[in-house]
Every structure is written in C-alpha cells, then in structure tokens.
Amino acid sequence: MRAEEREEIVRLPLLAACRPETADFLLRGAFVQRFPAHTNLTREGEKADFLYAVLSGSIELSAAYLDRETTIAVIGAPHTFIVAAVVLDRLYLQSARVMEPARILMLPSESVRQAMRGDAGFATAIAEEMANSYRNVAQELKNQKLRTSLERLANWLVHRDKETGGGHRFVLPYEKKILAARLGMAPEVLSRAFATLAQYDVHVDSATIIVKDWKALEKLAHPDPLIDDETI
Amino acid sequence: MRAEEREEIVRLPLLAACRPETADFLLRGAFVQRFPAHTNLTREGEKADFLYAVLSGSIELSAAYLDRETTIAVIGAPHTFIVAAVVLDRLYLQSARVMEPARILMLPSESVRQAMRGDAGFATAIAEEMANSYRNVAQELKNQKLRTSLERLANWLVHRDKETGGGHRFVLPYEKKILAARLGMAPEVLSRAFATLAQYDVHVDSATIIVKDWKALEKLAHPDPLIDDETI
DNA sequence: CGACGAATTGAGTTCACTCAACTGGGGTGG
DNA sequence: CCACCCCAGTTGAGTGAACTCAATTCGTCG
C-alpha cells in the first residue's frame, strides 16, 4: 500500500478514531483494489470475508427473492457496506455490485472483529457506522411503508436537489431502471410518475431534471426530516 | 437497584461482555421501571436521552407521516431499542409504546457513549446489538419490497409457528390491527388475506391459528433464510 | 344494558404491476 | 460509413393488488 493511499485511508471515519497500532494492524491485512463497472463484489448468502469501504466510485446493494430483485441502497465514498455481516460473522444479506468504477478498501473480517475487541475507539467507530446504516434503512422502511410511489419520487428529487447544491437542475446519478428499483417501483411506474410531475413543472430531458416550480414540488413531496435527512 | 435485579441486568447481552467497572459505572445512572400497557416511552423526533432495554413485556416501535402511521417492529426481552439514536446522539426516528406491561432498563445516553469510549468490550457489544438491529430492518425492507401482502402474512405465520415450537397451532401475540401494520397492510387487507388462507387449510378462530396443511402453507410462503431467519 | 372498539364483509376506487408495442440512442460489425 | 441490433425508456391496455369508506357483528368493559 502506498503512503498517500494510506493517508487517505486513515482519514476514513472508520479509522480516524482508532489507535495508530490498530490502524497498522488492520492495514497489514488490507488491500485497495480498483474494480470496473458491473463487477460483483458480494452475493447475498455468502460468508462475510471482508469489510468493504468505498474510496471512490459507487456501489449498488441489491437483494433477490424468487424471480424478483430490488435495489436496497447505493453507496458512495467514504462509506462502508455490509459491515453488519462482518461484525456478527454471518452471511451477507445483500449483493454488492460496482456501479461507477470504484476503488475499494477491503479489510479481512476476522481482523476487524479482533481490532474491535482490542480498541474501544475503533469499536465505537464501527458502532457509529452501524448506527448510521441502521438509521438509513429504518428511514427507507418508513419511506416504503408510509408513502406512495409518486411521493417517494418527489421526495427523492427534493433530496437530490439539496444534495447537489439546490440549483433546481441536476442530472440523475444512475439509470432510471435502477432509480425505479431503489424507489420500490417498476420502471414503467417511474416513467409515469415523471410524466405526472410535469403538472408540477418538473421537466425531464433524458437524465436531466429541471425543477421550475420548487414550491409546488415541495408541497407535493412533504419532505420529513425523520425520513429524508441523513444526519438528524 | 436490588441485587437480584442487578444480576438479571448484567446478564443482558449488552452488559455481559463489558468490564465490571463499566457495568458499575453504567448502572449507577441507570434505573429499572415498570410501565403499564399503552405507555408512550419515546416519540419520534425527540432527543435520545436514554437507551432502553426490555427486561420483560413487549414494546411496539412505530412511525408516522402526515396522517399515516405504521408499526416498524415489536421488541421483547432481552432486546434493546432505539440504540442508534443514543450512539449518535441524535433524534429518535421511531416512537416506542408499551404493548404488554413491561419492565424496562433505562441507561442515560451520555453514560452509554462514555462507556463505549472507555471499554472495547462494551463498545463491541453495542456494535453487535446495532448490527443485529440493522439486519432485522434490512430483512424487513426486503420483505416489504419483494413480497405481496399475502406472502408476507404466510411467511409471518411460518416464522411464528417455528418460534412457538412448531406445533402448527398458536395464538397471535397481539391485535390483528397491529399485525396488519407490522406487515404493511390495511386491517381489511389482513382480514381478507386470512380468508384467502382458508384455501390452504389455515384455520383462524379469533386469535388462534391452526395450520392443518403445513406443506401447502410453506409452499405458498417460500420462506427465505435471508429474509426470515434472525440469526443466519 | 349501552358504549366502544376490534374485526369482518361489501362495494367502489386508486395504485401499481404485467405484457406488449414502439421509439431512440449507442455500439458493433460488415 | 452505414446498417443493424440491443437495450433503456416510454406509452398503451388490461389485470390485479391494495386502499378507503361504509355497514354489520361481536366481544369487552364500564
């Protein structure tokens, strides 16, 4: 591992709070790897061999049941994924696939568990990471159970707009197909939902979204910090 | 706090792995309280002042949006709830209400965070607790996104039957209204789903369920360990 | 006995999925 | 360079799933 890379890594929230020895120990067994788009990193049901952290690029987490499949989340830097399976030494509940070409840090799961037992700072960082993940899924569950598909889309747009600087004009970060799965609807339903949003002055030009009447969209969306804000 | 109570408490998964001093420290600020049914312990949006652990009884976690409301989970002993908000010192995302009269251990959230920083064993236990919670919600999200309401009910019955000893005959642990919310459907839909299950030889007599043709139910349910099993 | 709420049942509507046809852009190979 | 194909996306039509509103039954508790 190169020195600059190492510096980048120890700045990750996960490692920033642990003792230098712990970081050394963890990084001895670790490696960073680049993956092209569409690489499968994990498949649900497999044993958790590594903890993954995204250094750049993005990862799609998905799950399948019978002949159905859905997207659970999309992860970007500097976040980790499938930590829970590592902490508990269990099976992955989700499959992870590279969406945008990614640089990934991989830590052997046994080292992670060992480091937790020996370093309260690291264990705390893992707990905080898990807590964040928990809250994100819990919010997503509320989103699914309490909102219609049109509301979910409207709120996703509101949220995405804030995230990209509030310019009321932005580009979808991934295919509509995947967005539909993320929002829990069939692609056709997403398409129709976008069509409906034209009434609210939301203009869609392929992957570019322009929100002309922000108030109208927000009124439809009824954003709720307890569902939509990541750090509340 | 009485000695016998103390013994019961330090056997909780959360405290079993921490140093004696940490347990002492945590229990100094802690207290155990009995609550009657329907008591509201937390409301979503409030600051996280306590970590709660269920010693007996059961707790319903719910969330609201506009005029809608749903049940996120039902928690029994010896589990904790709303740990994530405590770990991160944020707002509760869920409301907690006593379902069956309960004895609850309450730990001041600042003590919890302090104890984590000083005791790797405790921090690890918290991380494991969080990891479990994460996996449960993630499974619930998959359940919601990948299954129809009839499938969710069928799988809930299969799971509940196993949990109660596999006698193919058991009593619903709470009102159908709440079960409906837990499963993500309107009460009327649950009622009709039960009616449909008569075709699969599932008999419902008020709160008592009798599964006469286990194979038929299981074939309908298609249980999946990655959605339905709590410790896989 | 009456009041209340849980649960069921009916009827109508809305929401969301499926299947199918069509469009348009990007890439490949002739 | 162009023809072709493939896939994402859209649109249409029909079906099925789930919600709402309303009426009724039943058990529980004052």
Side-chain angles (χ1 to χ4, degrees):
Chain A
M1 187 170 301
R2 302 191 318 277
E4 44 202 295
E5 212 166 62
R6 197 197 145 90
E7 263 191 54
E8 175 189 11
I9 289 167
V10 295
R11 274 201 308 271
L12 287 173
L14 206 62
L15 295 178
C18 73
R19 295 200 307 267
E21 314 91 86
T22 310
D24 286 341
F25 167 73
L26 281 168
L27 293 187
R28 262 198 292 283
F31 46 95
V32 172
Q33 205 169 330
R34 288 180 180 277
F35 294 100
H38 308 124
T39 313
N40 290 309
L41 297 177
T42 68
R43 257 205 302 269
E44 53 178 328
E46 288 174 349
K47 196 74 188 299
D49 291 327
F50 293 98
L51 185 159
Y52 295 82
V54 184
L55 299 176
S56 71
S58 61
I59 306 295
E60 178 194 9
L61 300 182
S62 65
Y65 174 67
L66 304 183
D67 62 342
R68 311 160 205 174
E69 190 178 347
T70 192
T71 299
I72 302 290
V74 175
I75 309 286
H79 293 107
T80 56
F81 55 96
I82 46 139
V83 189
V86 168
V87 169
L88 297 172
D89 197 14
R90 304 244 184 89
L91 306 183
Y92 294 131
L93 292 180
Q94 294 157 22
S95 301
R97 213 183 61 205
V98 177
M99 215 159 69
E100 293 173 290
R103 283 174 58 238
I104 304 286
L105 169 68
M106 297 170 69
L107 301 171
S109 67
E110 184 46 43
S111 315
V112 172
R113 288 191 293 274
Q114 196 177 327
M116 286 173 69
R117 278 176 252 134
D119 184 336
F122 180 63
T124 302
I126 290 275
E128 285 171 355
E129 187 71 29
M130 290 294 334
N132 263 315
S133 305
Y134 171 82
R135 287 168 72 87
N136 289 339
V137 219
Q139 287 178 320
E140 193 49 45
L141 184 60
K142 290 169 68 170
N143 196 27
Q144 282 297 323
K145 290 182 80 173
L146 293 168
R147 283 175 174 159
T148 66
S149 61
L150 184 62
E151 288 171 335
R152 290 198 296 277
L153 173 58
N155 277 291
W156 187 89
L157 292 173
V158 167
H159 183 261
R160 185 72 196 164
D161 182 59
K162 283 184 190 156
E163 216 171 36
T164 55
H168 300 173
R169 178 200 180 93
F170 56 91
V171 176
L172 298 180
Y174 33 80
E175 293 173 353
K176 288 181 184 166
K177 206 179 159 186
I178 294 177
L179 177 58
R182 245 246 52 205
L183 295 176
M185 57 183 102
E188 296 94 328
V189 177
L190 176 63
S191 204
R192 290 177 175 117
F194 270 127
T196 304
L197 287 181
Q199 300 165 20
Y200 297 83
D201 253 337
V202 175
H203 297 254
V204 181
D205 178 11
S206 81
T208 303
I209 310 292
I210 304 173
V211 181
K212 294 216 172 157
D213 187 346
W214 178 255
K215 292 211 163 179
L217 177 62
E218 211 172 23
K219 190 181 167 200
L220 169 67
H222 277 291
D224 176 344
L226 298 176
I227 301 182
D228 304 297
D229 290 6
E230 264 140 46
T231 52
I232 195 157
Chain B
M1 184 169 306
R2 303 191 318 276
E4 43 201 298
E5 211 165 64
R6 197 197 144 92
E7 261 190 57
E8 176 189 8
I9 288 168
V10 294
R11 273 201 308 272
L12 287 173
L14 206 60
L15 294 179
C18 74
R19 293 201 306 267
E21 315 91 84
T22 311
D24 286 341
F25 167 74
L26 281 168
L27 293 187
R28 261 199 293 284
F31 47 95
V32 172
Q33 206 169 332
R34 288 181 180 277
F35 294 99
H38 307 126
T39 313
N40 289 310
L41 297 177
T42 68
R43 258 206 300 269
E44 52 177 329
E46 288 174 348
K47 196 74 189 297
D49 291 326
F50 293 99
L51 186 160
Y52 295 82
V54 184
L55 298 176
S56 71
S58 61
I59 306 296
E60 178 195 7
L61 300 182
S62 66
Y65 174 67
L66 304 182
D67 62 343
R68 311 160 205 173
E69 191 179 346
T70 192
T71 299
I72 303 290
V74 175
I75 309 285
H79 293 107
T80 56
F81 54 98
I82 46 139
V83 189
V86 169
V87 168
L88 297 172
D89 197 15
R90 304 247 183 88
L91 307 182
Y92 294 130
L93 292 180
Q94 293 157 23
S95 301
R97 212 184 62 205
V98 177
M99 215 160 69
E100 292 172 291
R103 285 174 56 239
I104 305 285
L105 169 69
M106 297 170 70
L107 300 171
S109 67
E110 183 46 44
S111 315
V112 172
R113 287 191 294 274
Q114 197 178 325
M116 285 174 70
R117 277 175 254 136
D119 185 335
F122 180 64
T124 302
I126 290 274
E128 286 171 354
E129 186 72 28
M130 292 294 333
N132 262 314
S133 305
Y134 171 83
R135 287 169 72 88
N136 289 339
V137 218
Q139 287 178 320
E140 193 50 44
L141 185 60
K142 289 169 67 171
N143 196 29
Q144 281 296 323
K145 290 183 80 172
L146 293 168
R147 283 177 174 157
T148 66
S149 60
L150 184 63
E151 288 170 335
R152 291 198 296 277
L153 173 58
N155 277 290
W156 187 87
L157 292 173
V158 167
H159 184 262
R160 183 73 195 162
D161 182 60
K162 282 183 191 158
E163 215 171 36
T164 55
H168 299 174
R169 179 198 178 95
F170 55 92
V171 176
L172 299 180
Y174 33 79
E175 293 173 352
K176 288 181 184 167
K177 205 180 161 186
I178 294 176
L179 178 58
R182 244 246 53 202
L183 295 176
M185 57 183 100
E188 297 93 328
V189 177
L190 177 63
S191 204
R192 289 177 176 120
F194 270 127
T196 304
L197 286 181
Q199 300 165 19
Y200 298 82
D201 253 336
V202 175
H203 297 252
V204 181
D205 178 11
S206 81
T208 303
I209 309 293
I210 303 173
V211 180
K212 294 215 173 161
D213 186 346
W214 178 255
K215 291 212 162 177
L217 177 62
E218 210 172 23
K219 191 181 166 198
L220 170 68
H222 276 291
D224 176 344
L226 297 176
I227 301 182
D228 306 296
D229 290 6
E230 264 141 45
T231 52
I232 194 154

